[in-house]
Amino acid sequence: MRRAPGPSVRLRLTLSYAGFLVVAGGLLLAVVWVFLLRYVPDGVLGTTDPTGRRPALFVPNRSDLVRAFAPRAAVATGLLLVLGLAGGWVLAGRMLAPLERITAATRTAATGSLSHRIRLPGREDEFRELADAFDAMLARLEAHVAQQRRFAANASHELRTPLAITQTLLEVARTDPHRDTGELLERLRLVNARAVDLTEALLLLSRAEGGSFTRERVDLSLLAEEATEVLLPLAEERGVDVRADGGVAVTTGSRALLLQLTTNLLHNAVVHNLPEHGTVRVSTVVRPGSAVLTVENTGGHLAPESTPRLTEPFQRGPGRVRSDHGGVGLGLAIVQSIAEAHGGTLSLAPRAGGGLRVTVALPAAR
């Protein structure tokens, strides 16, 4: 947005400093006049000689004091004005120097360079606090932009794969008319189903990040029971024992999104589990100010340093490969987006005996 040019902040501060000094000097002179000079009488003061023509002892009256004081007061006022302008210009420049660095960093960031940092030295004050907040914002923006770029690249790659397979199957059907049509149609159905699942997951992720949903009171324990019933056939097929327990834990938010969050966590825990005799434990509890949902599952050992990356889109832990029920690699990314959209947090921690513990803490409903 273009603005009309105006005086700089440094000039305005300088004029303010100078004006303050002049006004303070004027008030001081007014105090001298009001409380001193006005009580000095005018006319001839003192004693006179025997002839009565002139005072034997000269005593200045009000007019004498005014004539002696006024020129010097004017000179002092002028000096205050000059001192205020010069000193104010220097002081304003020193005070606004951090702001100039912040402005330069802002212009640099506006060109797309998010790696620049102000790193303003000195003790904490308003300018340092602003610079630190700006550096933190740049760090988050840089991380967010990098994550979005990785997400776009991974999403393009994931979407390109089913499209390429579909094109190959269609080419085979076109060049080999005697090939089994039923087999081709079934493979096309599976590939198309995967592309649809991926697209729906991307739309859900975008909806969660946008925060466009209606809030209502939601009991996480009921969502845990519902998600357990839905995924029970899959758990029985894989030999995984799923148990849900815990008390009432009420929060506010979108029931559909929170159900998707719970379902994704349970699905992730069932699919990425031991080949046989795996377990999944779902619990809900109320803590001071928070409604907490915890999902624990057995499985392979996970390195603590790689666990936080599991929430990034299309990231899979060691041994986590794609299968018929392996999802599209957006499960925990969607969970994190839904939790953050509801003002909550998501934390992941590897279990000592193998597997993963996922904890979602949401603001408790009043």
Side-chain angles (χ1 to χ4, degrees), residues 102 105-106 109 116-118 129-139:
I102 297 174
T106 304
H116 178 72
R117 299 291 182 272
I118 303 174
E129 185 178 356
L130 176 61
D132 294 342
F134 189 79
D135 285 344
M137 182 191 68
L138 284 180

Side-chain angles (χ1 to χ4, degrees), residues 33-52:
W33 170 259
V34 171
F35 292 99
L36 291 179
L37 294 181
R38 65 177 297 185
Y39 294 107
V40 177
D42 209 353
V44 178
L45 301 179
T47 60
T48 59
D49 60 3
T51 62

Side-chain angles (χ1 to χ4, degrees), residues 193 206 287 332 334:
S206 175
R287 295 174 184 170
L332 290 179
I334 292 176

